[in-house]
Structure formats: C-alpha cells, structure tokens
Amino acid sequence: EVQLLESGGGLVQPGGSLRLSCAASGFTFSSYAMSWVRQAPGKGLEWVSSISTSGSNTYYADSVRGRFTISRDNSKNTLYLQMYSLRAEDTAVYYCAPRSPGANPFDYWGQGTLVTVSS
Amino acid sequence: EIVLTQSPATLSVSPGEGATLSCRASESVSSNLAWYQQKPGQAPRLLSSGASTRATGIPARFSGSGSGAEFTLTISSLQSEDFAVYYCQQYNKWPLTFGGGTKVEIK
C-alpha cells in the first residue's frame, strides 16, 4: 500500500523558514518523480515544485522560484521542501505526490501538512 | 502557462442523475489531462488520466473524454459518495496547472 506522510508544517512568521518532509513507502521511491502541490484554505490546487527520479532536474512555480528548494534522499525514501522568505500567501496545506517519469499525472497523494504564515 | 477553465463552478444534481463536467485548456494539451476528486478534509484522488483512462479502482460510472483543448468528465447515476469537488490538471507542459474546480452538490 502506498503511503506518503508529510511533516514539518506549522505556524511561522512572515519572512521565516520551514522545511517540509514527505516519507514514502509502498512503492519504489527512486523510480518516481516527486512533486509538492499546495492548497490554500478554501481554494483550489496549485502545483509548487517537482523533482526528477535522481534529483538532477528540478522545476518550480514562478510564485516560489528563488524561495523554495525541492530535494530528495532516495536512500531514505524521503522528499523535502525547504521554504525561505515565507509570505502570507504561502499559507496552505502542502501535499506530496509521486508521478511516473515522463508525462504522467499524480498517481497518489499524501494527507498533507498545513503551513500557516502569520504574525 | 496553460490555463484550464472548468465549468460550471457548481453543479447541483439529484442522486441517481448524471453529471457532465467540462475542462477547457488555453492551448492543446494533447491527451495529457487528468481528473481528480476531492472530498472535504481529504487529499485529492486520481480518477482518470490520458483524458479517458480510469485509474485503478475507479468505478465505471466515471468516464473521461476529449483531446486537444476540450475535455469532459461524465458521472453517470451519481452516488452519495460522488458529491465532491472535481479538478482537471494538465501535465503536457511546465508549469503543471490545475483548473479551478467544479463542486458537485446535492440538489
């Protein structure tokens, strides 16, 4: 059974930093590209960032480029999202989701971790 | 970026009736379009990909169609568990984008 467990969310002040983690199990983590997708309270889904299977290629939404860094540790089956210079508009539930390499959808989703940026 | 426009924003349907949801792309995404279902307090769930291929375990009453820039998700005979928000998503080009969602509510 595929399991994706996000952690690291919480309350942070504007301008602060936070690192999210996603522990994966139930599938061959190193064979899947991984992504972060977020959802602001009461809003729709927004893709944030993706990383290739090896970690050599990364992709970012314009809204987070230069502030967020995605990474992965295939030896630990874990995905990360380092977030800097957080803004109120970054407040959202952050989901991790695997994708088969190539043009493919998000096969599975974690339950998400809530990040709240507020003073 | 490719903009996905979903319509209607809200659809009121009686249990047992059918529903048709639309997703229009600002440019062709070929068949690289997925549909997701999200219930309150839950993560999204993949319903279909490749515009028309149902994901594992998805009932046959869910049917996706279309290609290019016009797509449709049809739900035949809505069950109580189908009342939710539905999102389309294109994975043809970076950045990956989602539609704004269609809420299917009980009439």
Side-chain angles (χ1 to χ4, degrees):
Chain A
E1 179 190 2
V2 171
Q3 291 196 351
L4 299 157
L5 184 60
E6 300 95 336
S7 62
L11 176 64
V12 61
Q13 292 188 338
S17 301
L18 212 56
R19 188 177 86 154
L20 306 183
S21 299
C22 171
S25 62
F27 64 103
T28 305
F29 182 75
S30 60
S31 295
Y32 282 76
M34 295 295 296
S35 298
W36 290 97
V37 177
R38 69 185 181 184
Q39 186 170 36
K43 302 298 184 182
L45 300 168
E46 179 189 17
W47 168 76
V48 173
S49 181
S50 295
I51 188 168
S52 62
T53 54
S54 66
S56 59
N57 295 304
T58 57
Y59 308 85
Y60 297 94
D62 286 346
S63 58
V64 306
R65 185 176 291 111
R67 300 188 299 120
F68 290 11
T69 300
I70 191 172
S71 61
R72 64 190 296 162
D73 186 336
N74 286 344
S75 68
K76 295 182 178 179
N77 289 352
T78 302
L79 174 72
Y80 303 100
L81 186 68
Q82 178 68 55
M83 303 185 292
Y84 299 100
S85 302
L86 283 161
R87 306 166 179 167
E89 54 265 36
D90 295 319
T91 294
V93 173
Y94 285 73
Y95 297 101
C96 68
R99 296 175 67 210
S100 297
N104 285 294
F106 299 111
D107 302 280
Y108 304 97
W109 298 67
Q111 283 306 300
T113 187
L114 176 62
V115 172
T116 303
V117 184
S118 175
S119 56
Chain B
E1 82 177 38
I2 296 175
V3 177
L4 298 179
T5 302
Q6 291 189 242
S7 61
T10 303
L11 192 57
S12 298
V13 184
S14 299
E17 292 185 341
T20 300
L21 287 65
S22 173
C23 177
R24 176 175 294 180
S26 59
E27 65 182 80
S28 175
V29 300
S30 185
S31 295
N32 294 322
L33 186 111
W35 289 95
Y36 302 88
Q37 177 193 67
Q38 187 178 34
K39 298 178 182 179
Q42 296 185 16
R45 177 176 70 149
L46 177 66
L47 293 178
S48 71
S49 61
S52 61
T53 303
R54 272 190 304 276
T56 303
I58 301 303
R61 64 180 181 271
F62 292 92
S63 174
S65 62
S67 65
E70 298 277 350
F71 300 88
T72 299
L73 176 69
T74 301
I75 312 171
S76 62
S77 186
L78 269 104
Q79 308 297 302
S80 58
E81 62 267 29
D82 300 336
F83 293 95
V85 179
Y86 293 83
Y87 294 96
C88 59
Q89 179 241 334
Q90 68 81 20
Y91 47 91
N92 192 59
K93 186 183 290 188
W94 300 102
L96 307 180
T97 52
F98 290 87
T102 291
K103 180 180 181 180
V104 178
E105 63 177 25
I106 299 175
K107 186 174 182 180

